[in-house]
Amino acid sequence: MIKPPNYRSLHLFAAKSTPKWKRFYTQNKKKMEGMDLIVHALHEKYSSTIDCLQCARCCKSLGPRIEDKDVDRMAKKLRMKSADFMAKYICIDEDGDKVFNTMPCPFLASDNYCTIYESRPKACREYPHTDRKRFYQIYHLSIKNAPTCPIVYEVLEELAK
Ligand code: SF4
Ligand code: SF4
């Protein structure tokens, strides 16, 4: 298992394994629909052993897509009006989605804690998606997430064994 500080080289490990992960999908396409239980068990295994506070790579490099309900919840937490929160923290990306206007995330503290944890966006709650139903539908998206997230990397590695 890759541990910090080697997360800095995760993109290299992931690039090396990507052909193997793609081959696994092609060879097991018909069985992928029945793999949720295995993938979810791997998710539990690695999300309980990898410490997100030692990592925070998603908060530092990925912009979660933000929904209107997220804006209202975060604004309420900060005792701001939603319009003021939008003006201060949100911009629209090239796909027309709302995202935070700075990266790393403006709510990431120096100790890697999320300062609005209970009110964080839905996309942050669901990341890295390896416990999602019908995982096969986001298998290829997970390959794209693996260079960022060690949980995704380890799940794909063990799944392909
Ligand atoms: S990138 Fe993955 S392991 Fe790192 S903090 Fe985010 S969810 Fe946790
Ligand atoms: S809101 Fe919190 S969990 Fe989401 S990216 Fe920012 S610091 Fe990370």
Side-chain angles (χ1 to χ4, degrees):
M1 193 171 102
I2 298 173
K3 294 182 178 169
N6 294 329
Y7 294 164
R8 284 198 295 273
S9 304
L10 198 58
H11 62 292
L12 299 176
F13 291 107
K16 194 170 167 219
S17 290
T18 292
K20 176 179 68 183
W21 295 336
K22 288 185 176 173
R23 214 164 40 244
F24 174 82
Y25 184 88
T26 307
Q27 289 168 349
N28 294 280
K29 217 171 186 175
K30 289 184 182 155
K31 292 189 224 157
M32 290 301 287
E33 284 188 38
M35 283 194 187
D36 272 7
L37 280 180
I38 298 168
V39 175
H40 296 171
L42 292 173
H43 168 88
E44 286 306 316
K45 175 180 175 182
Y46 288 109
S47 53
S48 63
T49 48
I50 291 172
D51 182 3
C52 285
L53 293 174
Q54 296 285 316
C55 173
R57 290 165 61 88
C58 50
C59 306
K60 288 174 184 168
S61 63
L62 301 178
R65 198 174 63 182
I66 295 165
E67 298 174 2
D68 290 342
K69 280 183 185 171
D70 297 323
V71 171
D72 295 340
R73 194 172 55 254
M74 291 186 284
K76 192 175 172 195
K77 163 85 178 168
L78 298 176
R79 298 183 183 179
M80 294 173 77
K81 288 183 182 163
S82 293
D84 293 339
F85 183 94
M86 282 286 295
K88 187 166 183 188
Y89 294 112
I90 304 293
C91 65
I92 306 297
D93 70 8
E94 59 277 8
D95 299 322
D97 293 322
K98 293 187 198 71
V99 293
F100 289 129
N101 57 10
T102 58
M103 193 63 57
C105 173
F107 301 110
L108 182 69
S110 57
D111 56 4
N112 285 344
Y113 274 90
C114 172
T115 56
I116 54 162
Y117 190 75
E118 294 302 327
S119 307
R120 67 198 188 285
K122 182 168 171 273
C124 300
R125 292 166 197 270
E126 293 178 351
Y127 194 82
H129 311 296
T130 35
D131 56 351
R132 215 194 85 154
K133 280 185 190 164
R134 293 185 282 280
F135 177 74
Y136 67 93
Q137 292 178 341
I138 57 151
Y139 185 89
H140 289 96
L141 172 68
S142 297
I143 291 178
K144 288 186 182 163
N145 281 332
T148 301
C149 179
I151 295 173
V152 178
Y153 172 86
E154 299 292 355
V155 167
L156 291 177
E157 273 296 270
E158 191 160 337
L159 191 64
K161 267 185 192 166

